[in-house]
Amino acid sequence: MSTISIVIPCYNEEESIGHFYTAIQTLQQQLPEVTMELIFIDDGSKDGTEQCLTALHARDNRVKYLSFSRNFGKEAAIFAGLRTATGDCVVVMDADLQHPPGAIIEMYHKWQEGYEVVEGIKINRGEESRVHRWFADGFYALLGKMMGIDMKNTSDYKLLDRKVVEVLGQLQERDTFFRALSYWVGFKSTTVHYEVGKRVAGKTKWSYFALLRYAIKNLIAFSFAPLYFITLVGGVIFLMGAGFGIDAVISYARGASAMGYPTLVFLLLLLTGGIMLSLGIVGIYIAKIYEQSKNRPQYIIRRRSE
Ligand code: UDP
Ligand code: MG
C-alpha cells in the first residue's frame, strides 16, 4: 500500500481549508488503496488558519501542519512541506481548490507506471486577467527558451516521487523556483492536464507588483541572460559610437556642420538610462549573492504538529 503526501501551502486560508479537506475526503474514497498524509504549511497567516489546522489535526491523524514564524512566501512553504513529507510520492497543491483534487488520481496512475515527476499543466487560465496572461506567457516563453523546455501553462501542481523530493529537499538555494526546479532536476517525467477551478473562498494573494518581483527573482535565479543581454547592448552602442565618431571626422573634413543639440540630449538620455539599467541588473545579481552568502534559512518554523 502506497502513501501519498499532499503538501498544501496556506496563507490566510481559513475559509478554504474546510472545503479543501472535504474534497480530499472524496478523493480518498476514490483511492481507497492509498494512505494519505496531509501536510499543511501555515505561512505566517494572520487569520484563523492555524486554529483550523490545529482542529483538523485533532480530528484526523493524517493531518499534519507546520506554522512559520511569519510570512515567508509560497516557495518556502512548498520546500518546508517537501522536507516534512514522508510519502512514497508527494503532491503539491494550492489550498483554494484551483487545483482540482481529481487530477491526483491520474497523477498517481502515472506514478504507478514509473514516472517520477508528473507535471500539472493548465488547460485554461482560471480568472487571470488579460494583462496577467500576457505577462505570464512572455515570462515563461523567455524562461523556457533559456532552459530549453516548454514552460507554458505549467503550475505548482505536481506529483513527485520520493527520490525527487529528496533531491529537492537537499538544495541549498535561498531563492527556489519550484515550478522550474522540477524540470531542472531531470528524472522520468510526464504531464497531466487539468482545468483551473475558481478559488473556493478568500482571495488571491498576488498583486501585479508581487508578480513582477516574482518574475524578476526567478529569472535571476535561473539565468544569466540579462547579463549577456546588457553586454550585447553595450557592444552595439559602442559600435554605433565608433560609427558616429568616424562620421563626425569625415563631416568635419568636408566642412559640413556637426549634428546639433537634440541629438546630444537624445544620446545622453539613452546612454545614461542604459547604463543605470545595466548597473541595476548587475546589482540585483550581487544582492542575490550577498543574500545567499548570509546563509539565512529560507523559513523559520514556529510550531509543528506531532
Ligand atoms: N500562499 C502561501 N504563501 C503566500 C502566498 C500564497 O502559502 O505568501 C499559498 C496560498 O494560500 C494558496 C497558494 O499559495 O494555497 C496559491 O496562492 P493564491 O491562490 O493566492 O495564488 P493564485 O492562485 O491567485 O496564483
Ligand atoms: Mg489560487
Side-chain angles (χ1 to χ4, degrees):
M1 192 150 135
S2 308
T3 304
I4 303 185
S5 300
I6 303 181
V7 167
I8 315 109
C10 303
Y11 180 51
N12 296 341
E13 297 286 7
E14 63 178 4
E15 293 171 65
S16 313
I17 290 171
H19 298 283
F20 179 87
Y21 181 72
T22 312
I24 294 297
Q25 299 283 74
T26 313
L27 180 72
Q28 174 76 82
Q29 283 157 16
Q30 290 166 308
L31 283 173
E33 74 277 21
V34 169
T35 309
M36 289 201 183
E37 174 188 55
L38 301 179
I39 299 174
F40 291 92
I41 298 89
D42 167 23
D43 182 13
S45 300
K46 293 179 183 70
D47 66 355
T49 297
E50 189 175 359
Q51 287 86 313
C52 287
L53 296 179
T54 317
L56 264 189
H57 171 67
R59 208 165 98 196
D60 183 344
N61 62 7
R62 294 173 305 173
V63 174
K64 298 179 182 167
Y65 67 88
L66 305 175
S67 272
F68 284 174
S69 61
R70 64 167 167 85
N71 179 240
F72 279 93
K74 186 181 178 188
E75 286 289 323
I78 291 175
F79 276 79
L82 292 179
R83 291 184 179 115
T84 308
T86 60
D88 305 304
C89 59
V90 180
V91 172
V92 174
M93 69 193 293
D94 290 357
D96 58 9
L97 290 180
Q98 286 199 276
H99 295 162
I104 294 179
I105 299 175
E106 199 185 338
M107 289 182 174
Y108 177 67
H109 289 144
K110 296 273 184 194
W111 176 74
Q112 284 183 315
E113 286 168 30
Y115 289 103
E116 293 151 322
V117 177
V118 186
E119 301 280 352
I121 305 289
K122 302 181 220 174
I123 297 175
N124 62 331
R125 299 290 282 270
E127 293 157 312
E128 281 173 15
S129 71
R130 200 171 295 172
V131 183
H132 184 148
R133 194 169 313 168
W134 285 339
F135 187 74
D137 284 348
F139 170 67
Y140 285 115
L142 190 67
L143 197 69
K145 227 184 180 68
M146 289 178 322
M147 293 176 60
I149 48 173
D150 181 12
M151 287 202 61
K152 195 169 155 60
N153 294 336
T154 52
S155 67
D156 288 336
Y157 190 16
K158 20 192 147 223
L159 179 147
L160 308 169
D161 182 77
R162 175 90 249 140
K163 289 191 283 286
V164 183
V165 173
E166 294 294 331
V167 170
L168 287 173
Q170 276 161 20
L171 294 181
Q172 295 290 320
E173 53 199 275
R174 247 323 287 282
D175 277 330
T176 55
F177 183 27
F178 179 62
R179 202 168 288 193
L181 281 169
S182 66
Y183 286 90
W184 179 83
V185 292
F187 290 94
K188 196 166 177 284
S189 74
T190 186
T191 54
V192 157
H193 291 81
Y194 72 92
E195 296 250 0
V196 179
K198 260 190 177 343
R199 193 172 231 293
V200 66
K203 50 182 189 288
T204 176
K205 278 73 192 181
W206 293 94
S207 63
Y208 281 123
F209 184 64
L211 281 170
L212 185 66
R213 267 201 352 226
Y214 179 74
I216 292 177
K217 194 184 86 174
N218 293 324
L219 209 59
I220 297 277
F222 255 90
S223 108
F224 296 128
L227 294 176
Y228 293 132
F229 176 72
I230 55 179
T231 311
L232 185 74
V233 172
V236 170
I237 292 177
F238 179 82
L239 288 179
M240 275 165 55
F244 264 106
I246 295 168
D247 184 56
V249 171
I250 295 172
S251 301
Y252 182 76
R254 286 184 182 157
S257 65
M259 277 171 294
Y261 180 69
T263 325
L264 264 184
V265 172
F266 166 69
L267 281 179
L268 204 69
L269 287 180
L270 184 78
L271 294 183
T272 29
I275 292 170
M276 304 254 306
L277 186 74
S278 312
L279 265 180
I281 293 176
V282 177
I284 297 175
Y285 278 93
I286 298 178
K288 291 294 167 198
I289 298 171
Y290 176 52
E291 203 172 40
Q292 178 82 37
S293 74
K294 283 189 284 191
N295 244 330
R296 287 189 189 155
Q298 193 184 12
Y299 50 82
I300 299 169
I301 297 171
R302 183 175 60 79
R303 216 179 119 184
R304 62 164 81 222
S305 62
E306 287 318 314

